[in-house]
Amino acid sequence: MPGRPEAPPYVLSRGVTLLFAVACGAAVANVYFSQPLLVTMGHDLAMSPALVGAIVTLTQVGYGLGLFLLVPLGDKAGDRRRLVVAQLLLLVAALVAVATARTAAVLLLGMAATGLLAVVTQTLVAFAASLAPAAGRGRVVGHVTSGVVLGILLARTASGVLADLAGWRCVYLASAALTALLALVLRRVLPRPGGLAPTPLRYGQLLRSTLTLFARERLLRLRALFGLLVFAAFSTLWSSVALPLSEAPYFMSHTEIGALGLIGVVGALAAGAAGRLTDRGLSRRTTGAALALLTASWLPLALTRDSLWALLLGVVLLDLAVQAVHVTNQTLIYALHPAAGSRLIGGYMVFYSIGSATGALAATSLYAVAGWGAVCALGAAFSFLGLALWACTRTSAGARTSAGAPRAETAAPTPSSGRPRPAPERLP
C-alpha cells in the first residue's frame, strides 16, 4: 500500500548514523562559509558594498527556496540514495562555480545555487529518520542533528583558517572535494530503495500537500512556531556577538571571534540527549525545560562587556537549549506522518529560516541604535515568547487529558516488534 509505514529493511548502524551526521554538517556549512570572507571576496572581484551584502542574502534565499521546492522530493523518490547523491553532485558543481568565479554575476549565481542545493541536509535528516526504528528515531535524529550543529558552528572558523592559509577560493574547492567524496561513500553505503514507499503524488500536488499538512496538523504548527522563536533567539546572538567583542575592552580579532563557535559545539551534546528523552515520551517536559534554560541564558549574556566567562556560560546554555528544542521538534513532527517526513521537515525548516533571518536583521539594527543590552533584551523576549507559548499549550493539553483524552507520554506498541514505545505526541 503506497505511503504505508513498513518495518525498516535496513539496519541503521552507528557508523552509518555518523556518516549521515558528517554529510549533514558538511552540506549545511556551505551556507555559512562566506560570512568571514565577504570583505576578501568583494575586494577580489571589485564588488560594491551592496553586492557584497547580496552574497549572504542570495545564499539564504536559495536555501529557503530549496526547503520548499527540493526537500519534498524525498517523499516522492523511490530511491532516496539516488536523490541524495544527485543533489550532492550538483552541489559540487555549484561550489566549483563559486571557487572559479571571475565576475560578480557568476559568484552570486553560484552562491544562490549553493544555498538551494545545501538543503540536501534536510533530505538526509528525513532519510535517516525513515531508516531508524520507531522506538529509537529520536536518538538517530539527535545524532544526525549534532552534525548539523557542528557544521553551522564550525563553518566560520574553518573558512577563516583555510582562507588565511590559501585564499578564499580554497575554501570552496576543499568543500567541493569533500562533498564529492561523501557522494561516492553514500552511494556505496546507503540502501536502495530503503525507508518508506514513495508517495504517488505529482510534484505540484506534493508542494500543495505541504501546505495542507500545516493546515491540518496543530502539532506541526505549534512546533514550527517553537522553531521560529528559538532560532530567532539563536540568530540574535550569533549575528551580533562579534560587534561588542570587536570593541573595548576586548578588541578581539576575527580569528578569535570565530573561535567562539568552538564553545558553542557543547550545544551539540544536547541533541542526542533530547532525542533519547523524546523516545521515552518526555518531549513536552524536555521542551519546557529547554525554553526556560534559553530564557535564562540571556542573563549571563547581558554581562558580556564585563566578563568573558559570563559570555561563555551564556553561549553554552543557549546552544544546549536551542538544540534540545530543535531535535524534539523534528522527532515529533516526523512521527505525525512518516510517509510525508520530507515535506514535514522541509516545511518546518522554512520557519527556522524565517526565525534566523528575523533575529539577524533585528539584532544588528537594534545594536546600532541601542547597544548590546537591547540586543540581549530582544533575545530574551524571543525566548520568553517560546516559553509562554509552551505554558499556554501545556495548560490546554492538561485540560484535554483530564477530560478523557489520551496522555501523550504513554507507551504504544511498535508496529514492527510489538515492544512498547512512546506514542507520537499530538500535543506540544
Side-chain angles (χ1 to χ4, degrees):
M1 180 176 177
R4 181 181 176 182
E6 301 172 355
Y10 177 81
V11 177
L12 191 61
S13 67
R14 288 182 179 272
V16 175
T17 302
L18 177 61
L19 179 61
F20 268 110
V22 171
C24 284
V28 78
N30 292 296
V31 178
Y32 300 92
F33 279 147
S34 66
Q35 293 183 359
L37 310 177
L38 294 176
V39 174
T40 303
M41 296 166 79
H43 284 319
D44 191 15
L45 298 178
M47 298 170 67
S48 67
L51 281 179
V52 170
I55 293 174
V56 174
T57 301
L58 285 175
T59 307
Q60 293 291 344
V61 168
Y63 194 80
L65 288 173
L67 289 171
F68 185 72
L69 298 176
L70 296 184
V71 175
L73 289 173
D75 293 333
K76 188 171 179 60
D79 185 349
R80 290 194 185 191
R81 182 199 64 167
R82 192 173 180 180
L83 175 65
V84 166
V85 171
Q87 288 184 340
L88 286 173
L89 292 178
L90 289 172
L91 179 57
V92 170
L95 292 167
V96 171
V98 170
T100 58
R102 297 299 171 186
T103 66
V106 173
L107 176 69
L108 293 174
L109 285 173
M111 294 304 299
T114 296
L116 181 74
L117 294 162
V119 297
V120 69
T121 301
Q122 305 310 320
T123 303
L124 285 163
V125 171
F127 193 1
S130 74
L131 294 173
R137 185 173 292 134
R139 176 183 56 81
V140 170
V141 171
H143 288 320
V144 174
T145 302
S146 295
V148 179
V149 177
L150 293 174
I152 293 173
L153 293 174
L154 298 181
R156 302 170 184 87
T157 304
S159 65
V161 171
L162 282 175
D164 286 341
L165 292 174
W168 71 268
R169 296 178 187 275
C170 176
V171 175
Y172 291 95
L173 286 175
S175 182
L178 176 60
T179 303
L181 176 61
L182 286 168
L184 292 175
V185 175
L186 288 169
R187 185 179 184 277
R188 291 183 61 87
V189 172
L190 297 183
R192 51 177 304 187
L196 305 170
T199 176
L201 296 177
R202 295 191 296 273
Y203 181 66
Q205 295 173 319
L206 198 68
L207 298 184
R208 288 194 295 272
S209 70
T210 302
L211 302 178
T212 302
L213 286 168
F214 270 92
R216 188 173 65 198
E217 295 292 350
R218 177 175 178 268
L219 174 62
L220 177 58
R221 296 194 300 272
L222 287 169
R223 288 286 159 177
L225 285 175
F226 285 142
L228 187 153
L229 290 169
V230 299
F231 278 103
F234 181 86
S235 187
T236 294
L237 172 67
W238 288 107
S239 64
S240 61
V241 71
L243 300 174
L245 294 180
S246 62
E247 300 170 351
Y250 301 117
F251 297 107
M252 287 187 178
S253 66
H254 292 298
T255 301
E256 291 171 327
I257 294 173
L260 186 63
L262 298 174
I263 304 300
V265 168
V266 177
L269 299 175
R276 289 189 293 273
L277 289 171
T278 301
D279 287 336
R280 293 169 54 192
L282 300 175
S283 54
R284 194 160 58 228
R285 299 177 191 178
T286 302
T287 301
L291 289 169
L293 192 65
L294 181 64
T295 305
S297 70
W298 291 99
L299 293 174
L301 287 171
L303 303 175
T304 292
R305 291 192 180 277
D306 300 315
S307 170
L308 269 181
W309 289 109
L311 169 64
L312 298 180
L313 174 62
V315 165
V316 170
L317 294 179
L318 182 138
D319 282 354
L320 283 169
V322 168
Q323 298 316 318
V325 176
H326 186 42
V327 171
T328 304
N329 286 347
Q330 290 185 98
T331 305
L332 289 176
I333 64 174
Y334 184 90
L336 286 172
H337 300 285
S342 292
R343 281 166 285 170
L344 290 166
I345 290 179
Y348 163 77
M349 289 299 294
V350 169
F351 282 76
Y352 153 95
S353 295
I354 293 172
S356 295
T358 301
L361 289 172
T364 51
S365 301
L366 192 58
Y367 185 87
V369 297
W372 180 247
V375 170
C376 290
L378 174 68
F382 284 133
S383 306
F384 182 76
L385 281 175
L387 182 60
L389 177 63
W390 173 83
C392 291
T393 53
R394 179 176 180 271
T395 300
S396 66
R400 276 190 293 274
T401 298
S402 63
R407 292 185 60 86
E409 296 176 359
T410 58
T414 305
S416 59
S417 65
R419 291 175 300 185
R421 68 168 176 85
E425 211 179 14
R426 293 285 171 167
L427 300 170

